[in-house]
Amino acid sequence: MQALNLEVPAAGYRIPEAPWYGEGLGLDSIDILEVALIVSKQYGIQLRADSQENQQTFPFLEALAEYIAAHRTK
């Protein structure tokens, strides 16, 4: 993820159901926060840390892409 300066192999992005944490993309909670900030700025979506939607929004990349498509304002 270039915007985050992460060393995730490109192959990881090609698996839309790869989990964000652990064996998937290997992101931690700070990385997820940075993703949320970038999504907010880029697409006009307000993501809150205390939102109940987060577990459905962030389990894997495909779910986030679907959420952005449905809620983007930019």
Side-chain angles (χ1 to χ4, degrees), residues 12 15 27 34 39-40 70:
I15 305 170
L27 305 182
E34 290 182 36
V39 166
S40 179

Side-chain angles (χ1 to χ4, degrees), residues 6-28:
L6 297 176
E7 296 180 16
V8 176
Y13 304 126
R14 295 190 185 113
I15 305 170
E17 62 279 343
W20 293 93
Y21 297 102
E23 296 298 317
L25 296 177
L27 305 182
D28 61 22

Side-chain angles (χ1 to χ4, degrees):
M1 291 188 162
Q2 191 173 22
L4 297 176
N5 252 351
L6 297 176
E7 296 180 16
V8 176
Y13 304 126
R14 295 190 185 113
I15 305 170
E17 62 279 343
W20 293 93
Y21 297 102
E23 296 298 317
L25 296 177
L27 305 182
D28 61 22
S29 59
I30 299 299
D31 297 327
I32 297 298
L33 177 60
E34 290 182 36
V35 168
L37 290 172
I38 291 167
V39 166
S40 179
K41 288 180 184 178
Q42 183 73 29
Y43 300 105
I45 297 171
Q46 296 301 314
L47 299 172
R48 297 180 45 97
D50 60 351
S51 173
Q52 294 294 330
E53 288 185 316
N54 289 346
Q55 290 185 358
Q56 288 78 38
T57 305
F58 286 110
F60 46 87
L61 188 57
E62 183 177 42
L64 178 60
E66 290 171 2
Y67 185 87
I68 290 170
H71 296 89
R72 68 186 294 176
T73 61
K74 292 184 181 179

